[in-house]
Amino acid sequence: MAEKDNNKFGLKDFLQIAVIFLIAMGIYYALFTFVLSNDTVSGISMQPNFENGERVIAVRHAKIERGDVVIVNAPDEPGAEYIKRVIGMPGDKIVSKNNQIYINGKKISQPWLTKGFKLTDNEDGFTGTKYSQTQNFTISSLAKTANYKKYYTSAQLKEMQKTNRVPKGTYFVMGDHRSVSKDSRYIGTIAKKNIIGVVKLRYWPLNKIQVY
């Protein structure tokens, strides 16, 4: 009789499983609220390195370095998130000329653009343009555009025009699909508080798993 009782699934067992489940869910929630961010790539602005529908994990509060791929809160579309690459750090002087980026007077390596120069757009308005085609600009010239006037004060615009520097505490981000990407050339630099995290892993699709 005692053996039969031991095989019963009782209330105590149920409560133990429920507690373990709740703890696991709590850990998962905390992990993806305060440490990690699970995101889906939307759009074509990071082609050919990241495609629409791919899934990535970003680390929140990670150190941000030039070349990092980041998830950011979109300044022009409340509630939306963009995936972009960090090109300019706070205080950097930026000059783009003939598809090359010069930071503080020195040309930077952009290996993430190599594939794009071999691919040609077939999007309306961009047909025939190479993915990696980048227009000429400086921070000073961007600060004179109507787009920048939406995001900065007159004092900030004057400072950028004068110094050609990325404003303090912000980052200049761009998409790898330069010809179509809506990025810091149009929506301004991104404040550190609006950078959700640095992408460290692509886990979907399975045949493209990659650690960054």
Side-chain angles (χ1 to χ4, degrees):
M1 189 69 178
E3 182 179 350
K4 184 177 180 180
D5 290 340
N6 288 337
N7 289 332
K8 287 183 178 179
F9 185 82
L11 178 61
K12 182 179 179 181
D13 299 301
F14 173 80
L15 291 175
Q16 288 177 336
I17 292 175
V19 169
I20 292 172
F21 175 78
L22 290 174
I23 291 174
M25 289 300 295
I27 292 173
Y28 178 87
Y29 175 80
L31 185 64
F32 281 93
T33 299
F34 303 108
V35 182
L36 304 176
S37 178
N38 185 10
D39 300 282
T40 302
V41 176
S42 178
I44 62 174
S45 73
M46 284 296 287
Q47 289 179 326
N49 299 309
F50 292 88
E51 298 288 348
N52 183 56
E54 294 182 349
R55 296 194 64 86
V56 299
I57 297 293
V59 176
R60 301 178 188 271
H61 314 298
K63 181 180 179 182
I64 302 170
E65 299 181 343
R66 194 185 330 279
D68 283 343
V69 175
V70 293
I71 306 297
V72 307
N73 289 315
D76 63 327
E77 193 175 339
E81 297 175 357
Y82 293 157
I83 178 171
K84 303 294 178 185
R85 191 181 298 276
V86 175
I87 300 299
M89 305 291 283
D92 277 348
K93 289 185 176 182
I94 299 180
V95 174
S96 173
K97 187 175 181 180
N98 299 328
N99 295 315
Q100 301 293 338
I101 300 290
Y102 298 85
I103 302 293
N104 302 321
K106 296 182 179 180
K107 183 172 69 175
I108 65 169
S109 174
Q110 301 183 85
W112 47 80
L113 296 185
T114 301
K115 293 180 182 178
F117 275 123
K118 300 176 183 178
L119 299 172
T120 303
D121 285 311
N122 57 7
E123 303 290 325
D124 290 344
F126 301 98
T127 301
T129 306
K130 296 295 184 182
Y131 280 23
S132 298
Q133 184 69 35
T134 309
Q135 82 269 39
N136 297 340
F137 67 85
T138 63
I139 297 295
S140 297
S141 67
L142 293 176
K144 298 176 183 178
T145 64
N147 284 324
Y148 264 49
K149 291 178 182 179
K150 299 176 184 178
Y151 303 106
Y152 299 98
T153 65
S154 295
Q156 289 172 322
L157 291 170
K158 288 180 181 179
E159 181 68 15
M160 284 188 281
Q161 291 174 25
K162 178 182 178 181
T163 65
N164 191 38
R165 293 185 182 276
V166 176
K168 182 180 179 181
T170 70
Y171 296 80
F172 194 94
V173 301
M174 298 178 74
D176 292 345
H177 193 163
R178 294 277 173 83
S179 57
V180 303
S181 176
K182 181 170 61 173
D183 49 40
S184 286
R185 293 170 290 177
Y186 310 102
I187 58 175
T189 55
I190 306 298
K192 187 175 183 179
K193 66 179 181 180
N194 287 324
I195 295 181
I196 296 170
V198 178
V199 173
K200 297 296 184 181
L201 171 69
R202 172 171 48 204
Y203 68 91
W204 186 264
L206 295 179
N207 65 336
K208 294 181 68 176
I209 289 177
Q210 185 171 353
V211 177
Y212 299 94

